[in-house]
Amino acid sequence: MKIFLASKNQDKISEIKKILSRNSIDLLTCYDIDIPDVEENGSTFVENALLKAKSASKTTGLASIADDSGIEVDYLNGRPGVISARYSGTDATNEKNNLKLLEELDGVPFEKRKACYRCVIVFMRFPEDPFPFISSGSWTGYIADKPKGSNGFGYDPIFYLSDYKKTSAEISPNEKNKISHRSIALRKFEEFIGNII
């Protein structure tokens, strides 16, 4: 089954491909078919994922899957949330986003730095699919006081996992893909798509 992955984030593409690699899915990306950028102006992860999946399906004529994800910090009333990828401004990078978040939490004690990674997966069979498949996953941890580790991407270097006593950038990609917010959401998608295939 050919499915188009509506993302231009190379790290995200690689991670999703690894997680879905055991399935009978031919996952095409922007490196196979060029797609336009989509303004992610939704107020929720679900709205943004729907926008991306619909646009990609319309452009490619294929069933499409999209991910929208980010990190929410309790102390900051859920920020960065849906703007996680562009938290530090128009020229945002992972490093700048991490630095901004650390600066906002400067002096805040560890127990008040609870955070949650969230991921929403949307699958649309065609652009006007009236019943898109939607799944979600969450992964709780804390914001560390400084970056550690070189694996992963996004906020992984400052996302501290109490059970592991490490940041998610310090655990292996294989381990992350068993427990992360994205893997939880994609496992639900795998179950759904398995019934179709």
Side-chain angles (χ1 to χ4, degrees):
M1 182 176 186
K2 284 188 177 181
I3 298 176
F4 189 85
L5 172 55
S7 177
K8 291 189 175 181
N9 181 322
Q10 182 56 60
D11 293 315
K12 194 179 282 189
I13 290 169
S14 297
E15 195 165 278
I16 291 172
K17 278 189 163 187
K18 280 178 192 167
I19 294 170
L20 294 179
S21 61
R22 62 189 177 198
N23 294 276
S24 303
I25 297 171
D26 185 5
L27 206 58
L28 302 175
T29 71
C30 61
Y31 298 100
D32 303 301
I33 305 170
D34 190 38
I35 57 169
D37 291 328
V38 175
E39 185 182 357
E40 295 179 40
N41 55 12
S43 60
T44 66
F45 295 120
V46 172
E47 287 175 10
N48 284 334
L50 281 165
L51 285 169
K52 290 186 276 190
K54 183 173 185 175
S55 173
S57 183
K58 191 173 182 178
T59 300
T60 64
L62 297 169
S64 180
I65 184 173
D67 156 303
D68 199 53
S69 48
I71 197 164
E72 298 173 345
V73 180
D74 289 0
Y75 186 81
L76 300 176
N77 298 317
R79 291 197 327 268
V82 294
I83 62 163
S84 291
R86 51 194 186 278
Y87 195 43
S88 58
T90 52
D91 61 344
T93 64
N94 290 335
E95 292 77 18
K96 288 179 181 177
N97 289 336
N98 285 333
L99 183 60
K100 178 175 180 178
L101 192 52
L102 289 175
E103 286 173 349
E104 288 198 320
L105 294 174
D106 186 38
V108 177
F110 179 79
E111 64 272 13
K112 291 186 177 179
R113 300 167 76 104
K114 193 169 184 183
C116 183
Y117 256 139
R118 297 200 187 276
C119 173
V120 168
I121 296 292
V122 166
F123 171 74
M124 299 185 81
R125 296 165 294 166
F126 40 85
E128 302 301 329
D129 190 344
F131 296 105
F133 172 83
I134 302 172
S135 66
S136 64
S138 59
W139 193 22
T140 56
Y142 290 83
I143 301 301
D145 59 358
K146 61 184 177 182
K148 286 185 181 176
S150 57
N151 294 327
F153 60 98
Y155 295 87
D156 286 350
I158 60 172
F159 187 66
Y160 183 80
L161 308 169
S162 297
D163 290 349
Y164 289 79
K165 294 185 170 38
K166 294 177 180 178
T167 67
S168 62
E170 293 180 288
I171 64 173
S172 72
N174 285 341
E175 191 62 34
K176 180 188 175 186
N177 289 342
K178 291 176 187 173
I179 60 176
S180 75
H181 54 313
R182 187 164 290 112
S183 66
I184 292 167
L186 285 170
R187 278 201 297 272
K188 296 172 187 174
F189 169 70
E190 282 181 316
E191 187 176 336
F192 167 80
I193 205 70
N195 292 329
I196 294 176
I197 294 173

PDB file of all heavy atoms in Angstrom, residues 129-152:
ATOM      1  N   ASP A 129     -11.592  12.970   2.873  1.00  0.00           N
ATOM      2  CA  ASP A 129     -11.961  11.817   3.700  1.00  0.00           C
ATOM      3  C   ASP A 129     -12.811  12.291   4.888  1.00  0.00           C
ATOM      4  O   ASP A 129     -12.331  13.044   5.741  1.00  0.00           O
ATOM      5  CB  ASP A 129     -10.688  11.126   4.206  1.00  0.00           C
ATOM      6  CG  ASP A 129     -10.980   9.783   4.863  1.00  0.00           C
ATOM      7  OD1 ASP A 129     -12.143   9.507   5.202  1.00  0.00           O
ATOM      8  OD2 ASP A 129     -10.025   9.012   5.039  1.00  0.00           O
ATOM      9  N   PRO A 130     -14.093  11.866   4.959  1.00  0.00           N
ATOM     10  CA  PRO A 130     -14.955  12.343   6.052  1.00  0.00           C
ATOM     11  C   PRO A 130     -14.656  11.649   7.389  1.00  0.00           C
ATOM     12  O   PRO A 130     -15.096  12.099   8.434  1.00  0.00           O
ATOM     13  CB  PRO A 130     -16.367  12.000   5.561  1.00  0.00           C
ATOM     14  CG  PRO A 130     -16.173  10.814   4.667  1.00  0.00           C
ATOM     15  CD  PRO A 130     -14.815  10.996   4.024  1.00  0.00           C
ATOM     16  N   PHE A 131     -13.902  10.534   7.326  1.00  0.00           N
ATOM     17  CA  PHE A 131     -13.572   9.804   8.543  1.00  0.00           C
ATOM     18  C   PHE A 131     -12.066   9.521   8.623  1.00  0.00           C
ATOM     19  O   PHE A 131     -11.636   8.372   8.516  1.00  0.00           O
ATOM     20  CB  PHE A 131     -14.355   8.483   8.606  1.00  0.00           C
ATOM     21  CG  PHE A 131     -15.836   8.665   8.687  1.00  0.00           C
ATOM     22  CD1 PHE A 131     -16.629   8.431   7.564  1.00  0.00           C
ATOM     23  CD2 PHE A 131     -16.440   9.098   9.849  1.00  0.00           C
ATOM     24  CE1 PHE A 131     -18.008   8.612   7.620  1.00  0.00           C
ATOM     25  CE2 PHE A 131     -17.816   9.287   9.918  1.00  0.00           C
ATOM     26  CZ  PHE A 131     -18.603   9.045   8.804  1.00  0.00           C
ATOM     27  N   PRO A 132     -11.268  10.570   8.784  1.00  0.00           N
ATOM     28  CA  PRO A 132      -9.826  10.333   8.899  1.00  0.00           C
ATOM     29  C   PRO A 132      -9.521   9.544  10.166  1.00  0.00           C
ATOM     30  O   PRO A 132     -10.218   9.693  11.173  1.00  0.00           O
ATOM     31  CB  PRO A 132      -9.238  11.745   8.970  1.00  0.00           C
ATOM     32  CG  PRO A 132     -10.348  12.603   9.470  1.00  0.00           C
ATOM     33  CD  PRO A 132     -11.610  11.991   8.933  1.00  0.00           C
ATOM     34  N   PHE A 133      -8.475   8.720  10.088  1.00  0.00           N
ATOM     35  CA  PHE A 133      -8.024   8.011  11.284  1.00  0.00           C
ATOM     36  C   PHE A 133      -7.130   8.959  12.079  1.00  0.00           C
ATOM     37  O   PHE A 133      -6.232   9.585  11.533  1.00  0.00           O
ATOM     38  CB  PHE A 133      -7.240   6.753  10.899  1.00  0.00           C
ATOM     39  CG  PHE A 133      -6.585   6.097  12.087  1.00  0.00           C
ATOM     40  CD1 PHE A 133      -7.306   5.243  12.906  1.00  0.00           C
ATOM     41  CD2 PHE A 133      -5.256   6.362  12.404  1.00  0.00           C
ATOM     42  CE1 PHE A 133      -6.711   4.661  14.021  1.00  0.00           C
ATOM     43  CE2 PHE A 133      -4.653   5.785  13.510  1.00  0.00           C
ATOM     44  CZ  PHE A 133      -5.385   4.924  14.320  1.00  0.00           C
ATOM     45  N   ILE A 134      -7.405   9.071  13.379  1.00  0.00           N
ATOM     46  CA  ILE A 134      -6.616   9.944  14.244  1.00  0.00           C
ATOM     47  C   ILE A 134      -6.182   9.169  15.483  1.00  0.00           C
ATOM     48  O   ILE A 134      -7.007   8.535  16.141  1.00  0.00           O
ATOM     49  CB  ILE A 134      -7.424  11.188  14.680  1.00  0.00           C
ATOM     50  CG1 ILE A 134      -7.895  11.983  13.453  1.00  0.00           C
ATOM     51  CG2 ILE A 134      -6.592  12.069  15.610  1.00  0.00           C
ATOM     52  CD1 ILE A 134      -8.859  13.120  13.777  1.00  0.00           C
ATOM     53  N   SER A 135      -4.897   9.184  15.758  1.00  0.00           N
ATOM     54  CA  SER A 135      -4.400   8.562  16.990  1.00  0.00           C
ATOM     55  C   SER A 135      -3.452   9.525  17.687  1.00  0.00           C
ATOM     56  O   SER A 135      -2.960  10.479  17.078  1.00  0.00           O
ATOM     57  CB  SER A 135      -3.687   7.242  16.689  1.00  0.00           C
ATOM     58  OG  SER A 135      -2.507   7.457  15.943  1.00  0.00           O
ATOM     59  N   SER A 136      -3.199   9.280  18.952  1.00  0.00           N
ATOM     60  CA  SER A 136      -2.302  10.158  19.698  1.00  0.00           C
ATOM     61  C   SER A 136      -1.465   9.356  20.682  1.00  0.00           C
ATOM     62  O   SER A 136      -1.799   8.225  21.029  1.00  0.00           O
ATOM     63  CB  SER A 136      -3.102  11.233  20.446  1.00  0.00           C
ATOM     64  OG  SER A 136      -3.942  10.627  21.417  1.00  0.00           O
ATOM     65  N   GLY A 137      -0.373   9.961  21.102  1.00  0.00           N
ATOM     66  CA  GLY A 137       0.486   9.355  22.108  1.00  0.00           C
ATOM     67  C   GLY A 137       1.109  10.439  22.954  1.00  0.00           C
ATOM     68  O   GLY A 137       1.316  11.568  22.488  1.00  0.00           O
ATOM     69  N   SER A 138       1.382  10.130  24.212  1.00  0.00           N
ATOM     70  CA  SER A 138       2.046  11.091  25.083  1.00  0.00           C
ATOM     71  C   SER A 138       3.161  10.400  25.856  1.00  0.00           C
ATOM     72  O   SER A 138       3.141   9.178  26.049  1.00  0.00           O
ATOM     73  CB  SER A 138       1.047  11.747  26.039  1.00  0.00           C
ATOM     74  OG  SER A 138       0.410  10.775  26.836  1.00  0.00           O
ATOM     75  N   TRP A 139       4.138  11.191  26.277  1.00  0.00           N
ATOM     76  CA  TRP A 139       5.350  10.679  26.918  1.00  0.00           C
ATOM     77  C   TRP A 139       5.765  11.708  27.957  1.00  0.00           C
ATOM     78  O   TRP A 139       6.084  12.831  27.620  1.00  0.00           O
ATOM     79  CB  TRP A 139       6.422  10.529  25.841  1.00  0.00           C
ATOM     80  CG  TRP A 139       7.650   9.759  26.189  1.00  0.00           C
ATOM     81  CD1 TRP A 139       7.802   8.826  27.164  1.00  0.00           C
ATOM     82  CD2 TRP A 139       8.913   9.841  25.520  1.00  0.00           C
ATOM     83  NE1 TRP A 139       9.073   8.321  27.152  1.00  0.00           N
ATOM     84  CE2 TRP A 139       9.781   8.929  26.139  1.00  0.00           C
ATOM     85  CE3 TRP A 139       9.396  10.596  24.448  1.00  0.00           C
ATOM     86  CZ2 TRP A 139      11.097   8.750  25.745  1.00  0.00           C
ATOM     87  CZ3 TRP A 139      10.706  10.416  24.050  1.00  0.00           C
ATOM     88  CH2 TRP A 139      11.549   9.502  24.679  1.00  0.00           C
ATOM     89  N   THR A 140       5.742  11.338  29.231  1.00  0.00           N
ATOM     90  CA  THR A 140       6.015  12.308  30.282  1.00  0.00           C
ATOM     91  C   THR A 140       7.460  12.248  30.773  1.00  0.00           C
ATOM     92  O   THR A 140       8.094  11.196  30.749  1.00  0.00           O
ATOM     93  CB  THR A 140       5.064  12.118  31.483  1.00  0.00           C
ATOM     94  OG1 THR A 140       5.182  10.770  31.955  1.00  0.00           O
ATOM     95  CG2 THR A 140       3.631  12.374  31.095  1.00  0.00           C
ATOM     96  N   GLY A 141       7.934  13.394  31.188  1.00  0.00           N
ATOM     97  CA  GLY A 141       9.284  13.510  31.722  1.00  0.00           C
ATOM     98  C   GLY A 141       9.433  14.860  32.390  1.00  0.00           C
ATOM     99  O   GLY A 141       8.440  15.463  32.815  1.00  0.00           O
ATOM    100  N   TYR A 142      10.655  15.326  32.462  1.00  0.00           N
ATOM    101  CA  TYR A 142      10.955  16.625  33.056  1.00  0.00           C
ATOM    102  C   TYR A 142      11.932  17.375  32.152  1.00  0.00           C
ATOM    103  O   TYR A 142      12.644  16.756  31.366  1.00  0.00           O
ATOM    104  CB  TYR A 142      11.589  16.456  34.443  1.00  0.00           C
ATOM    105  CG  TYR A 142      10.634  15.932  35.488  1.00  0.00           C
ATOM    106  CD1 TYR A 142      10.385  14.561  35.609  1.00  0.00           C
ATOM    107  CD2 TYR A 142       9.959  16.795  36.354  1.00  0.00           C
ATOM    108  CE1 TYR A 142       9.491  14.075  36.551  1.00  0.00           C
ATOM    109  CE2 TYR A 142       9.067  16.319  37.302  1.00  0.00           C
ATOM    110  CZ  TYR A 142       8.838  14.959  37.403  1.00  0.00           C
ATOM    111  OH  TYR A 142       7.948  14.477  38.331  1.00  0.00           O
ATOM    112  N   ILE A 143      11.975  18.688  32.286  1.00  0.00           N
ATOM    113  CA  ILE A 143      12.962  19.470  31.545  1.00  0.00           C
ATOM    114  C   ILE A 143      14.227  19.555  32.395  1.00  0.00           C
ATOM    115  O   ILE A 143      14.204  20.060  33.523  1.00  0.00           O
ATOM    116  CB  ILE A 143      12.439  20.881  31.217  1.00  0.00           C
ATOM    117  CG1 ILE A 143      11.154  20.806  30.377  1.00  0.00           C
ATOM    118  CG2 ILE A 143      13.513  21.680  30.478  1.00  0.00           C
ATOM    119  CD1 ILE A 143      11.294  20.065  29.053  1.00  0.00           C
ATOM    120  N   ALA A 144      15.304  19.027  31.847  1.00  0.00           N
ATOM    121  CA  ALA A 144      16.591  19.045  32.547  1.00  0.00           C
ATOM    122  C   ALA A 144      17.120  20.479  32.635  1.00  0.00           C
ATOM    123  O   ALA A 144      16.587  21.389  31.997  1.00  0.00           O
ATOM    124  CB  ALA A 144      17.588  18.163  31.799  1.00  0.00           C
ATOM    125  N   ASP A 145      18.173  20.681  33.419  1.00  0.00           N
ATOM    126  CA  ASP A 145      18.714  22.041  33.549  1.00  0.00           C
ATOM    127  C   ASP A 145      19.747  22.373  32.480  1.00  0.00           C
ATOM    128  O   ASP A 145      20.132  23.531  32.315  1.00  0.00           O
ATOM    129  CB  ASP A 145      19.301  22.270  34.949  1.00  0.00           C
ATOM    130  CG  ASP A 145      20.426  21.298  35.285  1.00  0.00           C
ATOM    131  OD1 ASP A 145      20.721  20.419  34.447  1.00  0.00           O
ATOM    132  OD2 ASP A 145      21.001  21.413  36.386  1.00  0.00           O
ATOM    133  N   LYS A 146      20.183  21.348  31.707  1.00  0.00           N
ATOM    134  CA  LYS A 146      21.096  21.596  30.593  1.00  0.00           C
ATOM    135  C   LYS A 146      21.005  20.441  29.600  1.00  0.00           C
ATOM    136  O   LYS A 146      20.612  19.321  29.981  1.00  0.00           O
ATOM    137  CB  LYS A 146      22.535  21.768  31.082  1.00  0.00           C
ATOM    138  CG  LYS A 146      23.097  20.555  31.784  1.00  0.00           C
ATOM    139  CD  LYS A 146      24.500  20.859  32.309  1.00  0.00           C
ATOM    140  CE  LYS A 146      25.046  19.657  33.088  1.00  0.00           C
ATOM    141  NZ  LYS A 146      26.375  19.922  33.657  1.00  0.00           N
ATOM    142  N   PRO A 147      21.352  20.665  28.340  1.00  0.00           N
ATOM    143  CA  PRO A 147      21.270  19.601  27.331  1.00  0.00           C
ATOM    144  C   PRO A 147      22.292  18.501  27.594  1.00  0.00           C
ATOM    145  O   PRO A 147      23.422  18.775  28.002  1.00  0.00           O
ATOM    146  CB  PRO A 147      21.586  20.321  26.011  1.00  0.00           C
ATOM    147  CG  PRO A 147      21.481  21.776  26.302  1.00  0.00           C
ATOM    148  CD  PRO A 147      21.784  21.941  27.750  1.00  0.00           C
ATOM    149  N   LYS A 148      21.859  17.254  27.342  1.00  0.00           N
ATOM    150  CA  LYS A 148      22.760  16.098  27.427  1.00  0.00           C
ATOM    151  C   LYS A 148      22.379  15.089  26.356  1.00  0.00           C
ATOM    152  O   LYS A 148      21.198  14.843  26.132  1.00  0.00           O
ATOM    153  CB  LYS A 148      22.668  15.423  28.804  1.00  0.00           C
ATOM    154  CG  LYS A 148      23.335  16.180  29.931  1.00  0.00           C
ATOM    155  CD  LYS A 148      23.276  15.361  31.219  1.00  0.00           C
ATOM    156  CE  LYS A 148      23.912  16.114  32.379  1.00  0.00           C
ATOM    157  NZ  LYS A 148      23.777  15.364  33.637  1.00  0.00           N
ATOM    158  N   GLY A 149      23.399  14.501  25.714  1.00  0.00           N
ATOM    159  CA  GLY A 149      23.159  13.462  24.718  1.00  0.00           C
ATOM    160  C   GLY A 149      23.155  13.998  23.304  1.00  0.00           C
ATOM    161  O   GLY A 149      22.932  15.185  23.071  1.00  0.00           O
ATOM    162  N   SER A 150      23.396  13.100  22.365  1.00  0.00           N
ATOM    163  CA  SER A 150      23.481  13.500  20.950  1.00  0.00           C
ATOM    164  C   SER A 150      22.513  12.737  20.060  1.00  0.00           C
ATOM    165  O   SER A 150      22.527  12.907  18.848  1.00  0.00           O
ATOM    166  CB  SER A 150      24.916  13.286  20.449  1.00  0.00           C
ATOM    167  OG  SER A 150      25.309  11.942  20.639  1.00  0.00           O
ATOM    168  N   ASN A 151      21.664  11.889  20.634  1.00  0.00           N
ATOM    169  CA  ASN A 151      20.669  11.169  19.829  1.00  0.00           C
ATOM    170  C   ASN A 151      19.385  11.986  19.733  1.00  0.00           C
ATOM    171  O   ASN A 151      19.200  12.958  20.455  1.00  0.00           O
ATOM    172  CB  ASN A 151      20.369   9.792  20.435  1.00  0.00           C
ATOM    173  CG  ASN A 151      21.565   8.875  20.385  1.00  0.00           C
ATOM    174  OD1 ASN A 151      22.361   8.937  19.456  1.00  0.00           O
ATOM    175  ND2 ASN A 151      21.711   8.020  21.394  1.00  0.00           N
ATOM    176  N   GLY A 152      18.506  11.553  18.849  1.00  0.00           N
ATOM    177  CA  GLY A 152      17.208  12.199  18.748  1.00  0.00           C
ATOM    178  C   GLY A 152      17.276  13.582  18.129  1.00  0.00           C
ATOM    179  O   GLY A 152      18.247  13.956  17.469  1.00  0.00           O
TER     180      GLY A 152
END
